[in-house]
Amino acid sequence: MSKNNKGYVQVYTGNGKGKTTAALGITMRASGAGMKVAFIQFMKALGYSEQKILPTLPGVTWKTLGKPFFIAKAGSISEEELAGYGDSCVVFEEGNPPADYVKMIRDGFDEAREMVMSGEYDMVVLDEINCVMYFELLDTKEVLDLIRNKPTHTELILTGRCAPEEIIEAADLVTEMREIKHYYNEGVQARRGIED
């Protein structure tokens, strides 16, 4: 297999905006090229604007594996931020994530792994999978195993903040989005069609 026909592993991480957006752009480009793509969103409930368009793109299969609440490790979020989330945030002690969330992610990852390993897709996007590992909802070893054993032709894209060092080392391309300035810091909420 030539280097141009090989499927590589791409990681988009960092605290800056644009990780999912980059994966969406690549998905659109792949669809336009006639490729078959699976776009799987972890930790995202229904309601994001891209979820309306992804299923309409030729050759794209889309799934979301999220809940209508946010999770955070104890001590990782300020009281002010937590108050802003209201009842939509579940805080857990490190090493003890919510069992129902773990099961949902576990089931979703098993399905995603089947999609990758089927060889049916030219590209598979695991959106927010880095956050899944950060929140200890899935063992990093399982994602590494998927990277090492994926079909040679399948492009695999992993997004989300806090990519583990082992994932960065295993990837072929890593881009870190670094926040330099963001209007969120001035109280601007996620805007429809821009951030959500």
Side-chain angles (χ1 to χ4, degrees):
M1 174 173 284
S2 80
K3 288 183 180 183
N4 286 341
N5 293 329
K6 181 182 177 211
Y8 291 96
V9 177
Q10 301 184 29
V11 172
Y12 295 89
T13 193
N15 290 331
K17 178 177 166 14
K19 297 171 290 291
T20 296
T21 305
L24 289 166
I26 295 167
T27 298
M28 185 178 69
R29 180 176 282 161
S31 172
M35 295 170 72
K36 191 165 183 183
V37 180
F39 198 106
I40 303 153
Q41 293 185 302
F42 290 90
M43 301 183 72
K44 288 186 176 173
L46 294 173
Y48 289 85
S49 299
E50 70 264 16
Q51 295 169 343
K52 293 178 182 175
I53 197 71
L54 277 169
T56 69
L57 293 174
V60 175
T61 298
W62 162 77
K63 288 188 166 283
T64 187
L65 305 161
K67 286 217 175 223
F69 60 81
F70 181 73
I71 64 172
K73 291 181 184 179
S76 69
I77 188 168
S78 72
E79 290 298 323
E80 184 178 290
E81 284 179 288
L82 191 55
Y85 283 114
D87 292 338
S88 66
C89 185
V90 172
V91 178
F92 66 94
E93 293 298 322
E94 190 161 347
N96 192 26
D100 58 341
Y101 218 112
V102 171
K103 181 178 179 352
M104 178 192 60
I105 295 297
R106 163 89 271 139
D107 293 347
F109 184 74
D110 288 346
E111 189 175 347
R113 181 175 39 224
E114 285 178 23
M115 294 172 92
V116 172
M117 298 308 292
S118 73
E120 182 182 341
Y121 296 93
D122 301 300
M123 185 170 80
V124 178
V125 176
L126 303 180
D127 187 36
E128 305 296 352
I129 193 73
N130 296 329
C131 293
V132 165
M133 291 179 280
Y134 172 75
F135 284 119
E136 304 167 355
L137 302 171
L138 185 70
D139 193 314
T140 301
K141 291 177 186 173
E142 293 195 60
V143 180
L144 285 170
D145 184 61
L146 183 64
I147 289 171
R148 292 180 183 126
N149 295 301
K150 72 171 187 64
T152 307
H153 75 280
T154 303
E155 194 85 8
L156 185 60
I157 298 175
L158 293 78
T159 76
R161 295 169 184 248
C162 305
E165 194 57 41
E166 306 94 313
I167 297 295
I168 290 171
E169 288 174 17
D172 300 297
L173 178 152
V174 178
T175 299
E176 181 180 9
M177 274 63 170
R178 184 170 63 93
E179 181 180 316
I180 295 172
K181 190 175 185 181
H182 202 310
Y183 38 78
Y184 278 0
N185 299 324
E186 295 177 15
V188 176
Q189 299 297 310
R191 297 173 299 150
R192 197 78 176 144
I194 308 296
E195 286 88 27
D196 150 346

